Amino acid sequence: MSGFSSELIDYLEGRITFEEFDQRRDERKATESEVSAERVEEEDAQPSTSAHVPGHIEEGVSPGVQQAFASMLGDEPEPPSSDEQQEEGEEDGFSYVDDEEDEDYKAEEEQKVRLEMEETEKRRKRCGKGGRGRRNRKQRVLEEEEEEEDVEEDPTVGDVFALEMELNRENKKMMRERRQRSKLPRALRGLMGEANIRYARGEKEDAILMCMEIIRQAPLAYEPFSTLAMIYEDDEDMDKALQFGLIAAHLNPSDCEEWIRLAEMSLEQDNIRQAIVCYSKAIKYDPTNVRYVWERSSLHMRLGEHRQCMDGYRRILSLLPMEDGEHFMQLSKDMAKSYYESNDLPSALGVIEEALERHPGLVSDDFINMAAELHIANRQYSKALQVLVQFAGVVLVKDESESGCEEPRQEERVAEETTEEEEKKNEEDTKTEEEMAVKEDCAIQDVHVPDSVPVDLRAKLTVCLIHLHVDTPLEGLVSSLMEQSPEEIGDLYLDVGEAYLEEGKYMAALPLLSALVISEKYNLAVVWLRHAECLKALGHMEAAAQSYTKVVDMAPQHLEARLSLATLQQQLGRPECALKALESMYDSETLAQDSSAAQKELKLLLHRSTLLKTQGQTQDYLDAMITMISMLLKVAMQRAKVCVRSVTVSGVNHLRLAKAILPEIADHEAAYLDNTGKTNVMSKEDWWQLLVSCVLTLCEVRRYEEAELLVESAMEFYSFYDNKPRRKEMECFGLSATILDHNYYKAYNYIRLMLMENVDRPQLWNIFNQLTITSQHQRHHRFCLRLLLKYPDNHALGVLCGHNAMVSGSFKHALGQYVQAFQTHPETPLHSMCVGLTFFHMASQKYVAKRHTLVLQGFSFLWRYVDLRGVCQESMYNLGRALHQIGLTHLAIHYYQTALTLPAQKLEGIPDDQLDLRREIAFNLSLIYQASGNMAMAHQLINTHCVV
């Protein structure tokens, strides 16, 4: 270490600062400049420490240490260029770079020139010696090496080790006191200092202007932002102070204390999210600070971010030392409780197992109780029993004669379970194998529990033995448990009773539950529910119904209790009590806001509707169905302008669907998604079946208009409309409901859509024809004409267009359509009759050129019609009607009278009176008699055939 100067050693050991080191170095150099040239030559082996550090500086190693190490190895660092010096000077405001005006710099330049001159003189002398120099070259080399060894001493192992120790120490110190390099140029440092002075004097306006000017010229420097933050904080403008402070902190991120101060300011402004960011920045530069991590985790908990909070707690656990075991155990307990409350059992078990493994000597009874409870909740009963054996002092006495195996030590059991967990991927299979091993290989005959074990751990032991089907020691444990009052340990009674219920041992669970229901403290709804379930499983229906009634009275919103009570009452022959148990649990406001309440209400209504249908109460059944479907189609009904109203029928209130003007929904998509979340308790197929059942039931009770409105609302529901088969079925329902309701206007809309997609189906054209005949609208004319242009070869469409033209008086157009139909189907009687009647209509017009020709053509087609149809009541009536129209009444009377004597046709599915034409024939014949003055004959015909 002889190559180190005294000030360098003091600086490396931390006794002086860098400024003091630089000052002492300058003083030493000034003293050395006065020494003679001979001493200067002796010191050539030690380079000046004032020279600039090489361009590449390793992190954590000071320039002085690097030069000292280089001097020991005999390497001289190359001086950096002026450009590098300038760049480094601008980047690091705290670096001290020698410039040309420095005295040390001038001394080094003079020393370099002197060394070069001496080296040149030596080379000239060696060259002048000639062959002698060649003969003694090896000797001269050896002499020069000896001189270099005298001048330059090799470092020893101790020197290198000491240097490494100094480097490590300095590196740690620099890591602790690491500072962000200032981005403030030298030219602006004076202005920055002036701004700070102005701020200290109270001249804040000038200080702000100066800081703004510095920011304009050097926007990456943090000093002006920090000063502005202090100024605005003094002025109590906390918003600006916080913003400028955040900018300064981002420009100088390694200042942890500043981040913590900004986090506290953010919390004062109730900006928790920003405070979390500030704590995260502080943790980044001080990751071992437990307080920072704790504060950030607490903020995450305030925001409800459970996962991030637990991640922070896990980090705290990793940072706590082994000596701080109490805090480790307490934090692990809190974390496990939080995980358990959030239904994350694997994470809770992981925390508990880590704590048990790390600090087994600090495990308390509460910790053992929590570990056992978590294992039981995760159905790991063998592991729970293992915890009780290992930490609570419970001793298991096993039957060695039957099993042939000795009880292994606790360490062996843990090793076996660890190996088994590594080999098995399925945790449930592993647990099953462990339980089978406990039951088959080493049967537990008895359990010795120390007197010091608390009662809650005894209860956990009892629960584990129940689930592991170890029945022998249970009697004593349960008896000792029931010796204590249920008022004090009622929760343990309930745990043991539920364990018996899960294993199907209802007789063993009944005494425990019966003791609880008669207590004052634990006379709760959950206890009555377990008591009712136990009685129901044992077949005591009457007592179970009473217990369920008690549950409903104590917890009116408990759905399962209501459903079970309704089922029992129905089985006991009390339908009224069953319906009372299924009454509504919530009001309309709660159902509109709470999704969980809406789902429970839907399940209740579904069971109620099923019960009402089995009892034959149709109106009440429809009320329940309308209530359920209106919850599903809430948005669709608003688009269809349909609402549900309550009306009084025979003194009883019932629900009815009606048209109404409803307010518009701002966001239909959001409302639809919200409604879907409330009604997802049933599948789309189940909802579809409910809708179909409701429509059919409405039609059965002749509430056709409501069925029509329900179909119209369902057509606005996306899930039903997007499904094409269901949409077609809904269109059929709507068409049937509108026809039955005599709403032909809406019926036309349905049949029109069906025809456009199925133009070749004759059934639809028949329905269309019936609708157009009974309706008073003629809008179907243009529809048929447009469709005929698209499908000119459609037979039914052509005939209908001919009918429309006939009705509207366009006989020539009608004749064209009928003739086209006659040409394609000449054997159809209807086409011949239509052509003949068209000729008669044309002949009956006032201005006709060839009337007789038209009449002859008309008769020719009518006789063809009679030939094809045959002599019957229908054909004779049509022939007489044609003769009656053109004024040949004497011929018309003959055919009318012939028609009266013929019987009516009979068709399957149609009543006989609908096909009997005698009333029409008698009426037309009476008109002829009245015109001729034979009133008696006219009255006789009317009285005989037309009077009901």
Side-chain angles (χ1 to χ4, degrees):
M1 298 294 290
S2 59
F4 287 91
S5 61
S6 60
E7 65 269 17
L8 179 58
I9 295 175
D10 294 338
Y11 171 70
L12 292 177
E13 293 180 352
R15 289 195 292 266
I16 62 175
T17 63
F18 187 83
E19 287 79 6
E20 294 175 351
F21 161 75
D22 188 69
Q23 183 178 2
R24 290 173 58 180
R25 182 194 60 182
D26 295 339
E27 293 175 356
R28 183 176 59 81
K29 288 296 181 181
T31 305
E32 290 177 353
S33 61
E34 299 174 358
V35 183
S36 61
E38 292 80 8
R39 186 172 181 180
V40 172
E41 292 177 357
E42 295 178 358
E43 294 177 353
D44 287 342
Q46 296 183 1
S48 174
T49 58
S50 65
H52 185 57
V53 183
H56 177 68
I57 300 176
E58 297 182 359
E59 184 178 2
V61 182
S62 66
V65 174
Q66 288 190 7
Q67 287 193 357
F69 189 81
S71 65
M72 294 176 62
L73 298 179
D75 297 335
E76 292 186 2
E78 297 178 2
S81 61
S82 59
D83 294 337
E84 293 177 1
Q85 292 178 0
Q86 184 177 358
E87 291 176 1
E88 187 173 357
E90 292 178 357
E91 291 178 357
D92 190 2
F94 294 94
S95 62
Y96 293 84
V97 182
D98 297 333
D99 52 13
E100 295 180 356
E101 297 178 359
D102 198 342
E103 296 295 331
D104 295 338
Y105 181 82
K106 294 179 179 179
E108 288 181 1
E109 291 295 331
E110 294 174 359
Q111 182 178 352
K112 290 179 181 179
V113 172
R114 190 181 302 108
L115 290 174
E116 291 176 359
M117 293 177 64
E118 291 176 359
E119 186 68 19
T120 303
E121 185 65 23
K122 290 180 181 180
R123 290 176 183 174
R124 185 179 60 81
K125 291 179 180 180
R126 285 197 300 267
C127 293
K129 292 180 182 180
R132 182 182 177 183
R134 286 191 298 270
R135 287 190 302 267
N136 298 330
R137 181 175 298 172
K138 183 176 181 180
Q139 184 178 359
R140 288 200 308 270
V141 171
L142 294 175
E143 292 176 356
E144 289 176 0
E145 289 179 354
E146 291 177 359
E147 291 176 0
E148 289 177 359
E149 288 178 358
D150 295 335
V151 176
E152 211 174 72
E153 183 180 357
D154 290 338
T156 64
V157 177
D159 294 338
V160 174
F161 179 77
L163 180 61
E164 290 178 354
M165 294 293 293
E166 294 292 336
L167 289 175
N168 291 333
R169 204 168 102 191
E170 183 179 0
N171 187 21
K172 292 180 180 179
K173 181 178 179 181
M174 293 183 66
M175 290 298 293
R176 288 194 303 267
E177 301 178 357
R178 190 172 182 179
R179 298 180 60 186
Q180 178 72 13
R181 293 182 177 181
S182 174
K183 300 298 179 63
L184 189 65
R186 292 180 180 272
L188 295 177
R189 291 180 184 176
L191 184 59
M192 187 69 249
E194 182 66 23
N196 291 329
I197 293 174
R198 295 293 180 92
Y199 164 61
R201 292 175 179 175
E203 301 175 4
K204 298 181 180 179
E205 297 296 332
D206 295 340
I208 291 174
L209 293 177
M210 292 179 180
C211 289
M212 290 299 180
E213 177 62 23
I214 296 172
I215 292 172
R216 186 185 67 82
Q217 297 187 32
L220 298 181
Y222 71 90
E223 291 90 343
F225 292 103
S226 180
T227 302
L228 287 174
M230 291 188 292
I231 293 174
Y232 284 115
E233 187 175 359
D234 289 345
D235 292 341
E236 297 183 356
D237 191 351
M238 304 309 295
D239 291 337
K240 288 187 176 180
L242 180 59
Q243 296 303 321
F244 280 109
L246 288 172
I247 297 174
H250 280 289
L251 294 175
N252 184 26
S254 61
D255 191 351
C256 297
E257 296 298 331
E258 182 65 17
W259 284 116
I260 300 305
R261 190 181 69 85
L262 294 173
E264 294 173 354
M265 292 178 63
S266 301
L267 290 177
E268 291 176 359
Q269 298 184 6
D270 200 20
N271 193 344
I272 301 177
R273 185 67 62 185
Q274 186 169 280
I276 291 176
V277 174
C278 294
Y279 276 115
S280 299
K281 290 290 186 179
I283 293 170
K284 179 180 178 181
Y285 290 94
D286 192 0
T288 61
N289 195 311
V290 177
R291 185 176 70 87
Y292 297 167
V293 183
W294 178 269
E295 293 295 337
R296 186 179 67 174
S297 301
S298 301
L299 295 180
H300 280 302
M301 182 62 72
R302 289 175 59 181
L303 292 179
E305 298 174 350
H306 182 264
R307 185 180 62 81
Q308 291 85 343
C309 177
M310 292 297 104
D311 292 342
Y313 287 159
R314 284 187 176 276
R315 186 170 182 176
I316 293 175
L317 290 180
S318 64
L319 294 175
L320 289 176
M322 292 295 295
E323 296 79 10
D324 203 357
E326 295 292 339
H327 290 162
F328 187 94
M329 299 298 286
Q330 183 62 37
L331 182 58
S332 299
K333 184 178 178 181
D334 296 338
M335 289 179 62
K337 183 178 179 181
S338 181
Y339 276 129
Y340 179 75
E341 292 175 352
S342 62
N343 296 324
D344 191 357
L345 284 178
S347 300
L349 286 172
V351 173
I352 288 294
E353 290 174 354
E354 182 182 358
L356 292 176
E357 182 180 358
R358 186 170 180 178
H359 297 285
L362 299 177
V363 178
S364 61
D365 292 339
D366 293 340
F367 208 89
I368 299 172
N369 185 36
M370 175 174 286
E373 184 175 355
L374 290 176
H375 283 300
I376 292 173
N378 204 30
R379 300 187 180 276
Q380 298 176 349
Y381 307 112
S382 297
K383 290 186 177 181
L385 185 61
Q386 177 184 342
V387 170
L388 294 173
V389 171
Q390 181 178 359
F391 296 101
V394 177
V395 179
L396 303 179
V397 179
K398 299 180 180 179
D399 188 2
E400 299 180 0
S401 61
E402 295 181 1
S403 61
C405 63
E406 298 181 356
E407 180 182 357
R409 297 192 307 272
Q410 185 63 31
E411 292 79 8
E412 295 178 357
R413 291 201 301 270
V414 172
E416 290 175 359
E417 291 176 1
T418 304
T419 305
E420 189 176 2
E421 288 177 358
E422 292 176 353
E423 293 176 354
K424 301 297 181 180
K425 296 181 180 179
N426 194 332
E427 185 178 358
E428 294 182 357
D429 295 341
T430 304
K431 291 185 291 184
T432 303
E433 292 179 2
E434 292 175 358
E435 294 173 4
M436 293 298 294
V438 171
K439 291 186 290 185
E440 295 178 3
D441 298 336
C442 298
I444 301 175
Q445 291 297 319
D446 197 3
V447 176
H448 295 316
V449 183
D451 296 336
S452 60
V453 176
V455 65
D456 50 354
L457 295 184
R458 293 173 181 264
K460 296 295 186 298
L461 175 62
T462 305
V463 171
C464 293
L465 295 177
I466 291 172
H467 287 290
L468 294 176
H469 304 287
V470 182
D471 300 330
T472 305
L474 282 177
E475 295 181 3
L477 291 174
V478 176
S479 299
S480 63
L481 180 68
M482 295 190 67
E483 290 177 357
Q484 303 188 39
S485 173
E487 300 290 345
E488 299 177 358
I489 58 170
D491 54 340
L492 303 181
Y493 272 63
L494 184 59
D495 292 341
V496 177
E498 288 181 341
Y500 275 126
L501 289 178
E502 290 180 6
E503 296 298 330
K505 301 177 181 179
Y506 303 106
M507 289 299 298
L510 186 59
L512 294 167
L513 297 174
S514 300
L516 287 176
V517 295
I518 62 176
S519 65
E520 296 181 1
K521 185 177 179 180
Y522 289 94
N523 184 17
L524 304 176
V526 62
V527 179
W528 279 104
L529 180 62
R530 297 291 180 265
H531 187 254
E533 292 174 353
C534 185
L535 291 173
K536 182 180 177 181
L538 292 174
H540 307 318
M541 298 301 179
E542 187 67 34
Q546 295 177 2
S547 297
Y548 275 122
T549 304
K550 193 72 174 179
V551 175
V552 173
D553 294 339
M554 300 177 71
Q557 298 177 356
H558 198 288
L559 177 63
E560 299 300 330
R562 284 178 173 268
L563 299 180
S564 300
L565 177 59
T567 304
L568 284 178
Q569 297 289 10
Q570 186 73 6
Q571 292 177 359
L572 294 173
R574 303 168 186 170
E576 295 81 7
C577 297
L579 291 175
K580 185 178 179 180
L582 296 177
E583 291 179 352
S584 178
M585 298 185 296
Y586 303 95
D587 54 7
S588 57
E589 294 183 359
T590 305
L591 293 176
Q593 297 175 0
D594 191 353
S595 299
S596 178
Q599 293 177 355
K600 291 182 179 180
E601 189 72 14
L602 279 175
K603 293 180 180 178
L604 187 71
L605 286 171
L606 181 62
H607 286 77
R608 180 179 176 84
S609 63
T610 305
L611 190 60
L612 288 169
K613 190 173 184 179
T614 57
Q615 296 179 6
Q617 301 184 27
T618 307
Q619 297 297 332
D620 294 333
Y621 167 74
L622 285 175
D623 291 344
M625 295 292 290
I626 290 174
T627 303
M628 285 191 293
I629 295 176
S630 63
M631 295 175 67
L632 175 70
L633 305 179
K634 180 179 179 181
V635 180
M637 291 176 70
Q638 287 187 330
R639 285 200 296 266
K641 306 297 181 184
V642 178
C643 68
V644 180
R645 292 178 179 176
S646 177
V647 298
T648 304
V649 179
S650 301
V652 181
N653 290 331
H654 291 288
L655 299 180
R656 293 291 186 270
L657 294 174
K659 275 285 186 179
I661 300 177
L662 301 175
E664 291 290 338
I665 301 177
D667 190 353
H668 286 270
E669 190 68 24
Y672 174 77
L673 294 176
D674 177 67
N675 194 57
T676 303
K678 296 179 181 178
T679 57
N680 58 2
V681 293
M682 290 189 293
S683 63
K684 292 182 180 180
E685 182 63 29
D686 294 335
W687 278 114
W688 171 253
Q689 296 299 330
L690 287 178
L691 179 64
V692 172
S693 177
C694 186
V695 171
L696 295 178
T697 307
L698 287 172
C699 293
E700 289 176 2
V701 297
R702 299 180 180 276
R703 291 163 60 175
Y704 304 118
E705 183 179 359
E706 295 182 57
E708 174 192 341
L709 294 177
L710 187 58
V711 171
E712 185 178 350
S713 301
M715 295 290 287
E716 294 287 342
F717 191 64
Y718 297 141
S719 298
F720 294 158
Y721 187 81
D722 293 342
N723 192 323
K724 189 173 181 179
R726 291 178 180 175
R727 184 172 75 244
K728 296 303 178 184
E729 192 170 352
M730 291 306 301
E731 290 176 355
C732 294
F733 286 144
L735 177 62
S736 302
T738 51
I739 292 176
L740 293 173
D741 193 35
H742 304 289
N743 190 348
Y744 303 114
Y745 187 87
K746 283 189 176 180
Y748 170 77
N749 294 333
Y750 284 112
I751 195 63
R752 179 173 174 270
L753 294 175
M754 294 180 183
L755 283 172
M756 291 176 67
E757 295 182 1
N758 303 279
V759 72
D760 294 327
R761 296 189 64 180
Q763 297 90 342
L764 296 179
W765 286 114
N766 291 334
I767 298 174
F768 181 81
N769 191 29
Q770 291 294 326
L771 291 177
T772 55
I773 290 174
T774 53
S775 65
Q776 302 298 324
H777 303 282
Q778 296 185 357
R779 52 180 179 162
H780 61 281
H781 292 182
R782 292 184 180 179
F783 168 72
C784 291
L785 289 175
R786 290 195 297 267
L787 206 61
L788 183 63
L789 294 175
K790 190 175 181 180
Y791 305 100
D793 297 332
N794 189 280
H795 175 68
L797 183 58
V799 174
L800 284 178
C801 288
H803 293 339
N804 295 334
M806 175 72 76
V807 173
S808 61
S810 302
F811 301 119
K812 291 182 179 181
H813 182 262
L815 182 61
Q817 295 297 329
Y818 290 145
V819 170
Q820 184 179 359
F822 176 77
Q823 290 175 352
T824 56
H825 298 79
E827 300 301 327
T828 303
L830 177 63
H831 301 161
S832 299
M833 185 190 72
C834 291
V835 174
L837 291 178
T838 304
F839 280 119
F840 277 109
H841 281 292
M842 294 174 65
S844 300
Q845 290 180 330
K846 185 175 182 180
Y847 302 103
V848 180
K850 299 178 181 180
R851 192 185 305 273
H852 297 288
T853 305
L854 294 174
V855 171
L856 289 175
Q857 291 176 341
F859 269 114
S860 64
F861 278 98
L862 281 178
W863 282 116
R864 180 180 176 83
Y865 158 69
V866 173
D867 293 339
L868 294 173
R869 187 62 174 167
V871 178
C872 61
Q873 189 185 65
E874 174 195 327
S875 60
M876 293 297 102
Y877 168 72
N878 287 328
L879 187 57
R881 180 68 185 84
L883 293 171
H884 189 186
Q885 180 178 350
I886 62 176
L888 300 177
T889 57
H890 59 290
L891 296 176
I893 291 173
H894 170 72
Y895 289 107
Y896 277 147
Q897 290 177 350
T898 303
L900 283 174
T901 60
L902 296 174
Q905 291 184 345
K906 294 182 179 181
L907 297 178
E908 184 179 358
I910 301 178
D912 295 339
D913 59 345
Q914 291 188 8
L915 297 176
D916 194 357
L917 298 175
R918 286 179 296 177
R919 288 186 294 271
E920 288 81 2
I921 296 171
F923 181 76
N924 290 345
L925 192 56
S926 67
L927 292 179
I928 296 175
Y929 285 130
Q930 288 179 16
S932 63
N934 191 351
M935 303 300 296
M937 194 65 182
H939 285 298
Q940 181 186 359
L941 290 171
I942 294 297
N943 293 332
T944 303
H945 300 285
C946 298
V947 176
V948 179

